[in-house]
Amino acid sequence: MNVQNLDKSDPFAEEGDLLDDDSVGAQNYLHIRVQQRNGRKTLTTLQGLPKEYDPKKLLKAFKKEFACNGVVVEDEALGQVIQLQGDQRLKISAFLTAEGMPKSMIKIHGF
């Protein structure tokens, strides 16, 4: 009996991702997502922030720049996640690239 499909490849993984890749040097992305709340209301989440950025200071700058409310949420699996009111994906991306973060590290998800 021969079973061919028990290898460690994930058909839904992105091109550079591997299941047995345990290296810490793998590229970590900054994920910006939008979630639908109720009606027309949306919530933008930012996760995967590098350690050199302080999430509270970044949140304060976002709130002042984008004129929206936000909060830093501590998640068990994801770490610190920044949540902002409204669809702020493109504004966050532009802000972070202007502050010196490479655009290749930022992934924008949603609609």
Side-chain angles (χ1 to χ4, degrees):
M1 182 171 182
N2 188 3
V3 180
Q4 295 292 326
N5 62 353
L6 293 179
D7 56 346
K8 284 190 158 192
S9 66
D10 185 9
F12 300 107
E14 295 188 22
E15 285 183 30
D17 297 341
L18 297 173
L19 283 179
D20 56 352
D21 186 20
D22 295 332
S23 64
V24 179
Q27 180 154 4
N28 295 324
Y29 291 109
L30 182 74
H31 297 278
I32 304 172
R33 294 184 171 89
V34 66
Q35 297 174 347
Q36 190 74 33
R37 282 181 42 216
N38 49 359
R40 293 174 46 196
K41 307 292 182 181
T42 57
L43 183 71
T44 304
T45 60
L46 174 73
Q47 72 184 37
L49 199 62
K51 297 290 182 195
E52 62 260 15
Y53 293 97
D54 184 20
K56 294 192 187 239
K57 288 185 180 180
L58 204 55
L59 176 66
K60 188 174 182 178
F62 286 157
K63 287 167 65 172
K64 190 169 188 165
E65 182 77 20
F66 308 147
C68 66
N69 199 6
V71 66
V72 176
V73 177
E74 187 67 36
D75 189 82
E76 294 175 3
L78 304 174
Q80 291 185 327
V81 177
I82 297 176
Q83 293 182 344
L84 295 172
Q85 287 181 346
D87 187 4
Q88 311 293 342
R89 291 174 294 173
L90 297 177
K91 292 179 184 177
I92 291 173
S93 176
F95 183 89
L96 291 174
T97 52
E99 292 298 318
M101 182 174 286
K103 191 155 181 72
S104 61
M105 275 186 63
I106 300 173
K107 283 202 170 192
I108 300 176
H109 305 277
F111 311 142

